[in-house]
Amino acid sequence: MLFPRFAVIAATAIGFAGSAKAAPVTAASLAVRATLCASPSGDAGTYSQPCDTYAQTINCPNGIRNATAGVVLLVHGTGSTGPETWDNGPYIQLLPNAGPGFDVCKITLPGRSLGDVQTTSEYVAFAIQQLAAQSQTGKVGIVSHSQGGLNVQWALDFWPSYRPLVSAFVALAGDFHGTGEGPPACLVLDATTGGCDPSVIQQSVGSNFLNALNSRGGVALVPTTSIYTIFDDVIQPELIPATTLLSGATNVRLQDYCGPGYLVDHFVIPFASFAYAVAVDALTRQSTAQPDSVPKTSCAWLLDDVLLNNFRRGPTILREAVTDASAVITGPKVLEEPPLKPYVCARGDATTGCA
Ligand SMILES: *[C@@H]1O[C@H](CO)[C@@H](O)[C@H](O)[C@H]1NC(C)=O
């Protein structure tokens, strides 16, 4: 049942990976190289693809209609796609008409975001500047899930000129300091599929990627709200210290507001009512959220049955998609972490793991 969708994704991933392989040098390939997307001068980050490649991954279901509060970019996590993470939930279905009104756009990162996080972060960096330029406010709000938070943080770290373009960044279950569950998951994959997904290795505590990011990007770089749940079943630890705690951010533990029985896990958080209400607060303020000002009635959905039932199905759809993605080989498996890009080491953010 899921096969056709995976076939499309796999083909996309192969095409994407294939462009990096050594190919015969032709006039056409030189022309492609000549049109690689350009970063603003002064930013360390460099693009490896033409701008069109990035632009094609952005989808704004209602178009951009000059909504008062500007454009919001949704960034999915590991193993998923933009539609799988967001379409059945409140950020697509309610946010356009929330508060002053938003233009909502989602991105689908290549290869289900299982490949090199440095590369998928290029797509997020591009989307930030592209959508800010089309936004009524001249800025974008961002909502991320899981690894999406790392993609955003990496983009802001290495493309610092984009930071003023972000009004509010809301991370749902972002594993800013990595997860302890990566290495065991990789060991199982190493034994069964001959390797591990690059992004899973990079999200493991102690990876070269995380060390490089945290050398400067381990703090909030724009007004940031980091929302998490103690019942997260994917990223751990979420108790002491929580991997989602980001210095300088407004950190929101859902159970502090909705009680210890607020049973939200990693795949429910994109559908959780209080998390959504806090996100709307941040996006409306175009700053960090003030969670104490969010009514406690937001701990439950008070919506008509149609929406409620839709949101109830959402976590199951998302969980199954991610589980299937990790079972199917969607991209090349590796035994070692991908090397850090030359721009990371050139800026002095790492001395080990360099290309
Ligand atoms: C949004 O604003 C721009 C610039 O003022 C204008 O060109 C465009 O037509 C507007 N779009 C819509 C959908 O109103």
Side-chain angles (χ1 to χ4, degrees), residues 18-324:
S19 64
K21 283 193 195 121
V25 177
T26 62
S29 69
L30 286 174
V32 168
R33 263 184 237 170
T35 58
L36 288 185
C37 209
S39 292
S41 65
D43 283 356
T46 57
Y47 290 111
S48 63
Q49 306 291 319
C51 296
D52 275 357
T53 304
Y54 303 116
Q56 285 163 10
T57 62
I58 302 168
N59 171 254
C60 312
N62 307 320
I64 293 180
R65 301 191 288 196
N66 299 340
T68 307
V71 174
V72 174
L73 168 67
L74 308 177
V75 185
H76 66 84
T78 312
S80 187
T81 65
E84 285 169 3
T85 298
W86 307 111
D87 279 6
N88 300 299
Y91 298 90
I92 287 290
Q93 297 192 20
L94 301 181
L95 186 59
N97 299 316
F102 300 90
D103 287 320
V104 178
C105 302
K106 63 196 173 211
I107 192 166
T108 290
L109 301 171
R112 291 183 164 268
S113 224
L114 293 165
D116 189 338
V117 187
Q118 300 170 101
T119 305
T120 47
S121 296
E122 294 173 22
Y123 290 73
V124 174
F126 179 86
I128 289 171
Q129 57 81 32
Q130 173 90 353
L131 293 174
Q134 299 174 66
S135 175
Q136 185 68 18
T137 59
K139 298 185 178 203
V140 281
I142 303 176
V143 179
S144 67
H145 179 226
S146 191
Q147 185 201 149
L150 281 174
N151 286 128
V152 172
Q153 199 67 7
W154 185 271
L156 296 172
D157 187 3
F158 289 99
W159 281 266
S161 69
Y162 297 164
R163 291 178 200 168
L165 304 179
V166 180
S167 56
F169 169 28
V170 178
L172 305 173
D175 50 341
F176 292 116
H177 302 288
T179 170
E181 304 212 340
C186 278
L187 286 178
V188 171
L189 285 172
D190 286 349
T192 57
T193 64
C196 200
D197 295 303
S199 75
V200 175
I201 301 178
Q202 289 170 314
Q203 288 176 83
S204 302
V205 170
S207 71
N208 295 325
F209 172 88
L210 288 170
N211 289 342
L213 176 61
N214 287 324
S215 84
R216 295 185 211 214
V219 298
L221 301 172
V222 296
T224 304
T225 304
S226 181
I227 304 176
Y228 69 106
T229 171
I230 61 170
F231 298 114
D232 202 300
D233 51 331
V234 172
I235 59 167
Q236 290 293 337
E238 278 296 38
L239 289 168
I240 307 167
T243 180
T244 44
L245 287 182
L246 190 66
S247 176
T250 297
N251 295 291
V252 179
R253 182 163 67 177
L254 291 173
Q255 285 76 22
D256 289 348
Y257 297 87
C258 296
Y262 199 58
L263 296 176
V264 169
D265 71 18
H266 193 72
F267 295 108
V268 172
I269 201 168
F271 306 88
S273 55
F274 195 76
Y276 171 70
V278 171
V280 171
D281 186 66
L283 296 168
T284 302
R285 292 179 192 279
Q286 303 189 37
S287 180
T288 52
Q290 293 182 15
D292 289 323
S293 74
V294 176
K296 294 293 191 294
T297 49
S298 300
C299 291
W301 285 112
L302 299 170
L303 297 167
D304 65 78
D305 281 348
V306 176
L307 280 176
L308 193 57
N309 285 333
N310 222 351
F311 295 170
R312 281 206 183 112
R313 280 174 37 239
T316 306
I317 293 168
L318 176 57
R319 181 186 301 276
E320 284 177 357
V322 170
T323 305
D324 287 349

